[in-house]
Amino acid sequence: MKKIILFGDSITAGYENGLTDFRLNERIMAQVEDVEIINAGIPGDTTRGARARLSDHVLKYDPDIVTVFFGANDVSNVTGLSIEEYEENLDEIVKEIGISKVILIGVPFCNQTIYQDERPMDQLKAFNSVAQKLTTKYRLDYIDMLSEMQQVDPSIYLQRDGIHFSNEGYDLLGQLISQTINNR
């Protein structure tokens, strides 16, 4: 059996909507027989918290593939995480999981009318570039959510709170993850 773990924050966990409900399970199960998908998303989590729970929530399952999707909270001015700590944490997470198993997902877009002070666009881009740098360093599979979400009006991918994904946002994320897995 192939084990896929979705490791992340509330966007991974689901906030009113969800990723594993049907958006990912059906797409992947159509391509891969005998697959188990485990959602290890925790609302409010950052890469700091992810490192602390990595063994219990990911490594103990001996997964074949792990999506690593953090940054929405790390980038916030409220969390107190520096971009240097974000990079160090992501680097350690990737190495501990195993480079060949990781699909790294970059920082998602958030509504700049609501979050321009807490999560400004220049910070989103800077944190996203850290993920891109690690992708190059380790030759990881990478999903650039920030760019993907901005190809059309990004508000369609977000709920009214301006940060959590709408049904369309989860459809996009599920499509991108399943494409990446199927391309392996």
Side-chain angles (χ1 to χ4, degrees), residues 81-134:
L81 252 98
S82 68
I83 194 165
E84 293 81 14
E85 182 181 356
Y86 175 70
E87 181 172 8
E88 179 184 322
N89 291 340
L90 263 187
D91 193 277
E92 286 301 314
I93 290 166
V94 166
K95 289 189 296 192
E96 286 188 51
I97 292 170
I99 294 162
S100 65
K101 295 179 180 186
V102 171
I103 297 172
L104 187 58
I105 303 172
V107 176
F109 179 83
C110 61
N111 184 315
Q112 290 300 288
T113 304
I114 300 170
Y115 292 103
Q116 64 188 353
D117 294 329
E118 184 183 328
R119 294 173 172 98
M121 184 55 78
D122 62 332
Q123 277 180 217
L124 292 174
K125 289 178 180 179
F127 276 68
N128 198 51
S129 70
V130 165
Q132 290 170 329
K133 183 171 128 182
L134 289 176

Side-chain angles (χ1 to χ4, degrees), residues 37-109:
I37 300 173
I38 300 167
N39 191 318
I42 301 269
D45 207 3
T46 64
T47 53
R48 184 184 297 155
R51 283 183 71 180
R53 66 185 180 93
L54 185 61
S55 290
D56 289 340
H57 290 203
V58 177
L59 301 179
K60 79 175 189 180
Y61 294 102
D62 192 27
D64 298 290
I65 297 171
V66 180
T67 62
V68 177
F69 187 18
F70 292 92
N73 298 314
D74 295 77
V75 74
S76 170
N77 292 327
V78 176
T79 61
L81 252 98
S82 68
I83 194 165
E84 293 81 14
E85 182 181 356
Y86 175 70
E87 181 172 8
E88 179 184 322
N89 291 340
L90 263 187
D91 193 277
E92 286 301 314
I93 290 166
V94 166
K95 289 189 296 192
E96 286 188 51
I97 292 170
I99 294 162
S100 65
K101 295 179 180 186
V102 171
I103 297 172
L104 187 58
I105 303 172
V107 176
F109 179 83

